[in-house]
Amino acid sequence: MHHERVRAVDPAVADALDAEVSRQHDTLAMIASENHASQAVLEAQGSALTNKYAEGYPGERYYAGCEHADEVERLAIDRAKELWGAEHVNVQPHSGTQANMGVYLTTLDPGDRILSLDLSHGGHLSHGHPANFAGKLYEVAHYEVDPETGYIDYEELRETAEEFDPDIVVSGYSAYPRAVDFERVQEAADAANAYHLADIAHITGLVAAGVHPSPVGIADFVTGSTHKTIRAGRGGIIMTSEEHADAIDAAIFPGGQGGPLMHNVAGKAVGFAEALEPEFEEYASRIVENARALGDAFEASGLTLVSGGTDTHLVLCDLRESHPETTGGDAEGALEDVGIVLNKNTVPGETRSPFNPSGIRAGTAALTTRGFDEAACREVGDLIARIVDDPEDADVRGEVSDAVDRLCEEHPIYE
Ligand SMILES: *Cc1c(COP(=O)(O)O)cnc(C)c1O
């Protein structure tokens, strides 16, 4: 993939874009929120729809000339309805955070209460962190995972809901390796007479393919990012029932956004069409099998997995027991040096800080897109463990680097 037209006007940006394509090819993208969108999705996202103002919704726009924008947005909506079985879908949120904002604007007044999972236990900034608008506008309390098992403590969640009396309970997480029991979260929301927002940003693709239970039809609102496991390019999405359809649409536009990013809506439409193909179910199953293989390799090397394994695309490693002197940041840096890109992460019961936490998080969605199988993921797990054991050893670094190069060559991404 080259960027000749960019190069003709802007060699500096063209250099950076070319180098980014090479970086993605030459490294293992294991940040659990990332994936490699297809060239079809990239083409749609780079289309002339970026020029079009389409404030409003299909058939009800504020400007003329929206017939093709309407067609694209209707396709994205219809495909999303088919993928997730939702009654009403809004495909305009610029990102997952804006999707959550749309739900809060629909359900809450400033000062109302959000109950969500603690960030260090796997929650997300947009679930009410003090640095995020949600934490500034609303009153927030948190539930936690069980420190022994690493699983959501649904009993504690229900008790906290009864005590705190939230207006909305948020489920769905950024660093939780286990399947979420949305029915039990719903019970906690019911006990407090609160709404339930299920934020499936990470697991959109797994839910669409039926390899993770779906909150659609259980929670009042389901939000997601479109660039993670569903692989449909940057953006966000909201799903809800007919009852809340108009309120959600008004909360996104004009409530929280201006004109939609129609080129991104086109990317979503194309990515959703790809996800409706039968191969996508196979892809999603393989993501989870690959994450299990990765986790098995970690455990065989003596690393500790939060919750002892995974049901999803990600594994979370707590380094404190096996490598008390090694922080997540140390591991992230040493791994990046050898071409393995993952992220440091807080772990339940974190004893360090969010800036230098005790864990690493690794996902298999992007590797699976490149065609990695379980054997390849086990090998990657071994390579990661070798670096975590010996981050400074030049021989180990050289061998791991060579193995990463070979794996990248064997699994090309773009033509
Ligand atoms: C990734 C993520 C989001 C959305 O993030 P954006 O970067 O705004 O798309 C929202 N919630 C959770 C739980 C996430 O993991």
Side-chain angles (χ1 to χ4, degrees), residues 39-59:
Q39 279 174 270
V41 169
L42 299 189
E43 195 174 315
Q45 286 193 327
S47 68
L49 268 177
T50 195
N51 299 330
K52 188 67 198 109
Y53 246 108
E55 286 179 344
Y57 290 96

Side-chain angles (χ1 to χ4, degrees), residues 20 23 183 238 248 298 303 330 382 409:
E20 174 61 13
R23 187 195 69 80
E183 311 230 10
I238 304 179
I248 280 292
F298 283 164
L303 296 175
D330 298 336
D382 292 341
E409 282 311 313

Side-chain angles (χ1 to χ4, degrees), residues 33 94-100 122-127 170-175 199-202 223-228 234-236 361:
S33 45
H94 299 334
S95 80
T97 296
Q98 271 62 50
N100 289 341
H124 189 257
L125 290 167
S126 64
H127 296 177
V170 183
S171 64
Y173 315 105
S174 295
D199 173 356
I200 59 169
H202 265 258
T223 55
S225 307
T226 52
H227 43 278
K228 299 182 184 175
R234 279 281 144 181
R361 184 188 70 161

